[in-house]
Structures are given as C-alpha cells and as structure tokens.
Amino acid sequence: MGSLGAGKSSWMQAAWLLGALLVPHLLSFGHGARGHGKEWEGVWGGALEEERDRESLMLKNLQEALGLPTGVGNKDNLAENSEGKEVWEATETQGEEEEEETTTTPSSSPTPFPSPSPTSEDTVTYILGRLASLDAGLHQLHIRLHVLDTRVVELTQGLRRLRDAASDTRDSVQALKEVQVRSEQEHGRLEGCLKGLRLGHKCFLLSRDFETQAAAQARCKARGGSLAQPADRQQMDALSRYLRAALAPYNWPVWLGVHDRRSEGLYLFENGQRVSFFAWHRALSPESGAQPSAASHPLSPDQPNGGILENCVAQASDDGSWWDHDCERRLYFVCEFPF
C-alpha cells in the first residue's frame, strides 16, 4: 500500500505537469478553430484525434522519464483524458463568453454623460480669453502699422533725396547748357573776327544762308553777336567794300539789324537804339536840260517806299545802298561781333 501511494502521488505530479503543458496548447487551438468559423467544422474531429494521440505519446514519455509503470498510466489515461477534456471544454466555453462580450461591447453605444451647464465663472473666463486674444491681435496690428510707418518714412526720405538729386541734375544740366551757349558764342565771336572784317571794336561776318530777318537775328545772337548795325559813314563804307568783294560780280541784298516794326518811319537798331545815319537808295535824276539817264528806272525808286508792308532794311552788295523789304523775305545776312 505504501508503494502504491507513492506511485500514485508521482503519477498525480506527472498528470499536473502534463496538464500545465497541454492546456495552453489546447486553448490556443480552440481559439484558432473558432476564429475560422464554419470552414474548420469539417476537419475538427481529425484535428482533435491527432491532438489526443500527441497527448498520449507525451504522457507515455513522461511516465518513462519518471519511472512509473506504463500500465497504471494506461488504466488511468482515460480518466485523465476526460479531466483534460472537461478543462478544455470549460476553457472553450469561457473563451466563447469573452468573445461574445468583446463583440457585443463595441456595438453597444456608451451611455452619454450629461454635460454640466456653464456657470457665470465659465462665461467670464471665456470672455476674458476672447478679450486676451483680441488684445494680442491688436498688438500685432500695431506692430505691423509701426513697420509700415517706418517704411513710409524711409520711402519719403528716399523720394526727397531723389528729388534733390533730380534738382541738382537739372541745375547741372542748366549750367552745362549755359556753358555750351557761352562756348558757342565765344566760338562764333572768334570765328567772326578771324574770318570776317575787323573794324575798330567790331567784327563783321557774312553768312550765305537764306533766312528771314528774325531768324537771321537769332542765328547771329546764338553765335555771340547780332545783325550788323553800321553807326557812321566810316563803318558803312567799310561794310560796303567787304560785301562787294565777297559777292561780286553779283548784287545780293543782305539783311542789316535795322527795322521800323514798332512804328512806321521810326528806324531802330536791334539793340533798341535809334538810327542816326541812313544810306537809302536814291534814283538817278537827269541834269537840267539833259535826257534821263539809263540808270533811272521805275523799278528802282527812292527808298524806303514799302510803307507798313516793308519794315526791315537790307543793304545792296554792289553800291552799299539801303532798301526796305518784307521781313519774311529770305536773304543773306551779315553778323556783327564785339571785339
């Protein structure tokens, strides 16, 4: 009886160890089979039979390792298998209940908790938060406005500098123009005295360009002089010889700086002074008792004879006499330069 009790206790220990080894495998196998559903129902019996054979083989190996008689183990094997089967079925039932709970839990919507009604303190806190955010927004706007003001000031200063620079440039251009005018006038004066006729403190220079009386005066002024203004007989004779030598053998009228545009019969120089010396053309008169000479001709009457239609004076290049002409007539001109 003692040996039988010892053998039984050893066999119980082996059974518990075998149960501890087999139950997790059986549980995992049971869950896997239920996960696949009806697809595994056809092969479930064969898999369970194979698992029982594997358990029997493991139990036999365990009995041999513990030195227990295999007969006892075979006799109690059915009981052990029934116990393991009951444990497995209980575990499977528990797993199905847990799976049903897990599947039904997500479908059931949780009971909503009633939200608490806002109090006056919550309202004040919300308003203060909104005011704080508005204050932050206003602060950002003030910063941007300050940046814009700074930029506008910089642009205004830059525009002022550009205007000052443009004004300086205009002044420089104006100064350059004045220098250019003075240079052209000096060049014209030197050219007139070098190429023309020098007489006392004056120089006369003939221009062979056809211009109106006003345009001729403008060209002479741009070169630093004016249209010729012979003030006495000496200047008149010298100018006549210069024009005759330059234009001979032809007779070309040449503009002088003499006119009566302001008042008919009041002849003035271009500088506004009144003319005191005249050299008007006169028709030849026959001597008493003689026939009229061939020089007298109705086309060469005494000058001036144009009235208000002819207000500018030109000098003939052959004899140096003065003729009044229409100021818009285009003639040669002679300029006068100071020396």
Side-chain angles (χ1 to χ4, degrees), residues 289-339:
Q291 295 294 328
S293 63
S296 60
H297 193 276
L299 296 179
S300 59
D302 292 343
Q303 298 295 318
N305 66 340
I308 61 175
L309 300 178
E310 298 177 351
N311 297 320
C312 294
V313 177
Q315 180 176 338
S317 63
D318 57 349
D319 60 356
S321 60
W322 289 9
W323 297 65
D324 62 344
H325 290 283
D326 183 7
C327 295
E328 297 301 318
R329 186 178 178 182
R330 298 171 67 86
L331 304 175
Y332 289 167
F333 59 94
V334 60
C335 293
E336 173 185 303
F337 301 97
F339 180 74

Side-chain angles (χ1 to χ4, degrees), residues 196-200 204 206 208 230 232-248 250 315-321 334:
L197 172 64
R198 178 182 174 185
L199 181 63
F204 297 102
L206 174 66
R208 298 175 184 266
D232 51 28
R233 173 60 64 177
Q234 181 182 4
Q235 293 182 12
M236 181 66 191
D237 292 341
L239 182 58
S240 297
R241 290 191 298 269
Y242 170 66
L243 294 177
R244 187 183 304 113
L247 299 175
Y250 306 103
Q315 180 176 338
S317 63
D318 57 349
D319 60 356
S321 60
V334 60

Side-chain angles (χ1 to χ4, degrees), residues 141-211:
L141 288 177
H142 284 307
I143 293 175
R144 294 182 180 179
L145 287 176
H146 177 71
V147 172
L148 289 176
D149 290 338
T150 305
R151 186 59 178 168
V152 169
V153 170
E154 292 176 355
L155 291 175
T156 304
Q157 293 176 354
L159 182 59
R160 187 180 297 110
R161 287 193 294 268
L162 288 176
R163 289 178 177 176
D164 295 340
S167 178
D168 296 340
T169 303
R170 285 194 296 267
D171 295 340
S172 300
V173 170
Q174 185 64 29
L176 289 175
K177 288 182 178 179
E178 294 176 357
V179 171
Q180 182 181 4
V181 169
R182 289 195 297 268
S183 299
E184 290 179 355
Q185 291 176 352
E186 186 66 20
H187 178 267
R189 186 182 67 83
L190 293 175
E191 183 182 16
C193 292
L194 291 175
K195 295 182 179 181
L197 172 64
R198 178 182 174 185
L199 181 63
H201 297 287
K202 290 183 179 182
C203 298
F204 297 102
L205 180 64
L206 174 66
S207 176
R208 298 175 184 266
D209 296 331
F210 292 100
E211 296 288 354

Side-chain angles (χ1 to χ4, degrees), residues 265-284:
L266 178 61
Y267 288 91
L268 302 173
F269 288 119
E270 290 294 336
N271 58 9
Q273 294 180 0
R274 188 169 183 176
V275 179
S276 59
F277 170 80
F278 296 95
W280 295 113
H281 172 75
R282 292 291 182 258
L284 295 176

